[in-house]
Amino acid sequence: MSIIEKAVDKLRSDDSSIKKKDQQQVEISNDSQCIKMGEHAAYQESQDTLPSSSVEKAELQQSEVPLQPSALNQPEGRTKAEPEVPREPDLEIMALQIQGVLTADSQRTRHAEEMRMIKRPILQNAFGKKHKPSEYSNLLMVTSAIAGEGKTFTSLNLALSIAAEMDRTVLIVDADLAKPGMSRLLKVSDKPGLTNYLRDEQKDIGKLLLRTDIPKLTVLPAGPRHAHSTELLASNHMKQLFHELATRYSDRIVLFDSPPLLVTSEACVLASLIGQIALVVESGKTPQHLVKDALAQLSSTDNVSLILNKCKKGFLSTQMGSYGYGYGYGYGSESDQQ
Ligand SMILES: Nc1ncnc2c1ncn2[C@@H]1O[C@H](COP(=O)(O)OP(=O)(O)OP(=O)(O)O)[C@@H](O)[C@H]1O
Ligand SMILES: [Mg+2]
């Protein structure tokens, strides 16, 4: 072979090794692109600096896709594609903007102060030194002699006030099965509730409780109407539920928004099972003899408080709006009655 032929041969072999090198770089580059498209879209802007060695590539993957703290705390069995999301409340009470309902801003108002005065003896009865757990004194029934005296309105405000306590939780039960005002007020009339449990359609009461935007307040709606609500409330099932609700959480007040005593038979059935009763009396409207009749229906229960509702401005030195509350504790003295 001549010198010229040898030189041509060498040039050919150099050319083919350059081609091989180019091919290799394209392959690496394509490989990087796959990573980018599949998992790390953040690489897209830095394509120009993509490394050619796989070690560098691995380093880049780690630095460009930092692990989130939440990813480190994934519960067992949970994958990255299924991050843990805190459960949203089932019911946003504050967003409903119900007129006259306590809010975080109204904690210093006369209205809030009146609620504090009402709740103190109730909490004392429920958790004070003299309370007996066997008497279910953490179960509170809010009732009245006749309809429309303010049971539902008072129940909600009282529940919000108790939920503001550091170490108390509250469950509101809409126990007015014939006229479920609380469920209507909170816009949960269409949700399953107490009747579903009492009819054995839902055995786990926990599945019927609605979490609210107030961290320590839950709600059990009334559920669908039922023709035999008195019988449902008088059933053994209800007695079991009372026991379960009274004993499950030692720091919880369960507040039953109930029907009026003199108009329905359900209220008397509930009163016979419950530990504490708050009787709402509409100021200047409910005749005294009806209040006395209602109290007579409750003679088997020791813990009865009176709440004088819708007091006119000036009455009991109330300064909020045109209405307010007064309260009475026990009903032995004349001053507690109208
Ligand atoms: N203290 C108050 N200040 C202003 N409005 C009030 C007060 N108490 C009750 N109300 C209003 O009076 C009306 C009747 O109140 P609510 O529905 O609470 O009565 P109720 O006793 O639950 O009635 P029912 O027997 O029909 O269930 C509602 O419009 C409510 O907003
Ligand atoms: Mg009501």
Side-chain angles (χ1 to χ4, degrees), residues 101-311:
V101 162
L102 287 180
T103 62
D105 296 338
S106 59
Q107 287 308 309
R108 295 266 134 244
T109 60
R110 176 77 204 179
H111 186 192
E113 196 48 51
E114 286 167 345
M115 274 301 150
R116 281 188 197 105
M117 287 164 75
I118 292 168
K119 80 178 165 183
R120 282 289 153 235
I122 288 168
L123 291 175
Q124 187 61 28
N125 274 341
F127 307 109
K129 281 188 191 137
K130 288 188 194 151
H131 93 278
K132 294 183 192 133
S134 58
E135 288 174 355
Y136 297 168
S137 49
N138 58 333
L139 303 188
L140 170 73
M141 171 185 185
V142 179
T143 185
S144 62
I146 53 174
E149 297 196 67
K151 297 175 292 296
T152 300
F153 186 86
T154 305
S155 297
L156 183 56
N157 274 325
L158 192 53
L160 289 165
S161 184
I162 296 172
E165 295 278 314
M166 299 289 281
D167 47 4
R168 299 283 166 236
T169 58
V170 193
L171 166 63
I172 297 178
V173 178
D174 189 350
D176 194 343
L177 300 185
K179 206 176 154 193
M182 184 64 80
S183 304
R184 206 172 42 242
L185 187 66
L186 300 180
K187 306 212 180 328
V188 291
S189 304
D190 56 336
K191 304 264 185 209
L194 184 56
T195 47
N196 298 86
Y197 177 82
L198 295 177
R199 294 179 66 184
D200 230 359
E201 290 161 359
Q202 173 53 268
K203 292 187 196 311
D204 183 355
I205 192 75
K207 293 210 168 124
L208 297 167
L209 304 186
L210 304 179
R211 286 156 55 111
T212 73
D213 51 343
I214 314 295
K216 288 190 273 173
L217 176 65
T218 42
V219 172
L220 176 62
R225 301 262 173 106
H226 191 266
H228 301 287
S229 46
T230 308
E231 287 73 16
L232 284 180
L233 291 175
S235 65
N236 276 337
H237 232 64
M238 189 67 187
K239 287 183 190 134
Q240 282 161 13
L241 179 64
F242 268 63
H243 181 74
E244 155 97 12
L245 293 178
T247 52
R248 184 142 186 187
Y249 300 109
S250 58
D251 65 346
R252 184 166 71 177
I253 285 274
V254 186
L255 195 154
F256 292 80
D257 179 29
S258 309
L261 278 160
L262 302 181
V263 187
T264 62
S265 50
E266 289 104 312
C268 291
V269 168
L270 280 172
S272 67
L273 300 167
I274 216 135
Q276 281 201 67
I277 297 171
L279 185 74
V280 177
V281 177
E282 186 170 354
S283 173
K285 195 157 174 216
T286 314
Q288 192 173 359
H289 71 273
L290 292 184
V291 179
K292 283 184 173 170
D293 286 352
L295 290 171
Q297 303 257 14
L298 305 174
S299 54
S300 60
T301 315
D302 288 338
N303 284 334
V304 180
S305 311
L306 289 177
I307 298 175
L308 192 58
N309 189 27
K310 303 192 194 178
C311 300

Side-chain angles (χ1 to χ4, degrees), residues 81-115:
E82 186 195 350
E84 195 183 21
V85 182
R87 218 181 112 192
E88 291 288 315
D90 307 296
L91 162 59
E92 306 244 11
I93 295 179
M94 288 304 138
L96 295 173
Q97 300 194 323
I98 305 166
Q99 217 186 349
V101 162
L102 287 180
T103 62
D105 296 338
S106 59
Q107 287 308 309
R108 295 266 134 244
T109 60
R110 176 77 204 179
H111 186 192
E113 196 48 51
E114 286 167 345
M115 274 301 150

